[in-house]
């Protein structure tokens, strides 16, 4: 235990929710076995030991996994490139595409709007999204001013309730768009999760961290 009360083991930040199921085989392939409570969605525990005395895991929201790594509170993490693109943290190095959490970031609108719409003609649009930076950047690139309303989830409700006509969100199966009468009109990016590393930790603890990066690289390459 260091003087500041923090132990000196490495911490890996993992996103909770559905992506965790895809993370588990990678973890195990890299030889990491978390304590049993980690896979119990009912557990209120947030930090978990692993079979490696010098490595523990925290289970946090997807956006927060990036924040913990960016500030060095976790040295490693699994972070979607949606989050990396939105925040563009200079202190995160993300050397490895893990090939999990595969989905797309798209612009969607109600089907009846899309039937009569031409995205080429947009000059100003109002969009509900969790990703205001990516959205503004994407549209600014072709001279469209995007006014973003930040929501943290359930974006698909916004058009029906008159908040805006369009949303920018992640689509995987397309079921959520369909269930809410929305159709995709434009793709912004392909999304997967990446291994994220704090740059300072990479310099000061390069041997340990590079060891883990290589273990994950072997598992991701073999998948
Ligand atoms: C994501 C995304 C969509 C949905 C798309 O939300 O924001 O709402 O999944 O998946 P689909 O195309 O397979 O239907 P998530 O369930 O992760 O929760 P969130 O609304 O809290 O972001």
């Amino acid at each position: 235990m260091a003087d500041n009360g923090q132990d000196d083991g490495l911490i890996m930040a993992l996103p909770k929710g559905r992506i965790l199921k895809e993370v588990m085989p990678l973890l195990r392939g890299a030889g990491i076995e978390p304590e049993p409570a980690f896979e119990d969605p009912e557990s209120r525990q947030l930090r978990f030991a692993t079979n490696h005395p010098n490595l523990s895991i925290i289970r946090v929201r997807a956006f927060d996994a990036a924040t913990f790594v960016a500030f060095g509170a976790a040295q490693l993490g699994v972070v979607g490139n949606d989050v990396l693109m939105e925040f563009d943290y200079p202190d995160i190095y993300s050397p490895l595409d893990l090939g999990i959490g595969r989905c797309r970031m798209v612009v969607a609108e109600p089907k009846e709007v899309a039937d009569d719409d031409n995205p080429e003609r947009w000059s100003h649009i109002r969009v509900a999204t969790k990703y205001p930076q990516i959205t503004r950047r994407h549209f600014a690139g072709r001279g469209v001013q995007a006014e973003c309303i930040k929501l943290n989830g359930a974006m698909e409700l916004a058009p029906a309730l008159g908040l805006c006509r369009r949303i920018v969100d992640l689509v995987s199966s397309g079921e959520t768009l369909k269930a809410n009468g929305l159709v995709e009109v434009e793709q912004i990016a392909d999304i997967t999760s990446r291994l994220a590393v704090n740059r300072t930790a990479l310099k000061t603890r390069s041997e340990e961290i590079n060891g883990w990066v290589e273990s994950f690289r072997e598992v991701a390459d073999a998948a």
Side-chain angles (χ1 to χ4, degrees):
M1 183 84 71
D3 289 349
N4 59 7
Q6 293 175 326
D7 59 53
D8 53 9
L10 290 177
I11 296 177
M12 180 178 290
L14 297 179
K16 58 184 183 182
R18 56 175 137 167
I19 202 158
L20 205 52
K21 285 202 188 74
E22 293 185 71
V23 171
M24 289 312 297
L26 290 182
L27 273 190
R28 295 204 165 108
I32 299 169
E33 187 59 46
E35 64 178 299
F38 181 66
E39 282 187 277
D40 174 4
E42 302 298 317
S43 167
R44 306 305 297 164
Q45 196 175 324
L46 298 171
R47 183 172 176 178
F48 306 86
T50 73
N51 56 330
H52 296 271
N54 281 328
L55 179 70
S56 60
I57 291 174
I58 56 172
R59 191 174 61 189
V60 296
R61 288 178 182 227
F63 276 49
D64 296 342
T67 308
F68 276 95
V69 176
F71 287 87
Q75 292 74 34
L76 293 156
V78 170
V79 179
N81 64 331
D82 53 333
V83 181
L84 295 171
M85 283 160 64
E86 178 67 15
F87 294 99
D88 205 12
Y89 287 114
D91 294 328
I92 294 184
Y93 171 57
S94 58
L96 183 59
D97 185 346
L98 296 171
I100 58 171
R102 213 172 272 284
C103 58
R104 293 171 298 123
M105 187 179 294
V106 307
V107 187
E109 60 189 18
K111 188 176 175 328
E112 56 281 12
V113 174
D115 285 344
D116 233 356
D117 197 13
N118 180 358
E120 304 282 306
R121 296 224 190 96
W122 295 346
S123 61
H124 174 273
I125 56 171
R126 185 193 270 191
V127 180
T129 186
K130 236 188 204 177
Y131 305 98
Q133 303 296 343
I134 297 174
T135 302
R136 278 191 215 104
R137 249 191 341 251
H138 171 76
F139 285 110
R142 61 169 204 255
V144 178
Q145 192 194 346
E147 180 192 338
C148 294
I149 300 172
K150 175 86 197 294
L151 290 180
N152 295 306
M155 258 74 63
E156 293 84 356
L157 278 173
L161 299 183
L163 194 57
C164 55
R165 295 217 294 185
R166 296 165 182 112
I167 66 168
V168 166
D169 196 12
L170 302 182
V171 172
S172 173
S173 66
E175 287 302 317
T176 311
L177 286 186
K178 200 168 156 204
N180 291 281
L182 302 173
V183 292
E184 179 181 335
V185 286
E186 191 170 319
Q187 175 163 339
I188 296 183
D190 282 314
I191 306 298
T192 48
S193 293
R194 302 189 69 89
L195 188 66
V197 179
N198 175 270
R199 285 187 192 276
T200 306
L202 184 60
K203 283 191 201 124
T204 55
R205 307 176 72 166
S206 58
E207 201 174 317
E208 272 172 294
I209 290 179
N210 279 321
W212 286 119
V213 172
E214 284 320 306
S215 300
F216 278 94
R217 191 185 302 282
E218 280 168 28
V219 185
D221 284 352

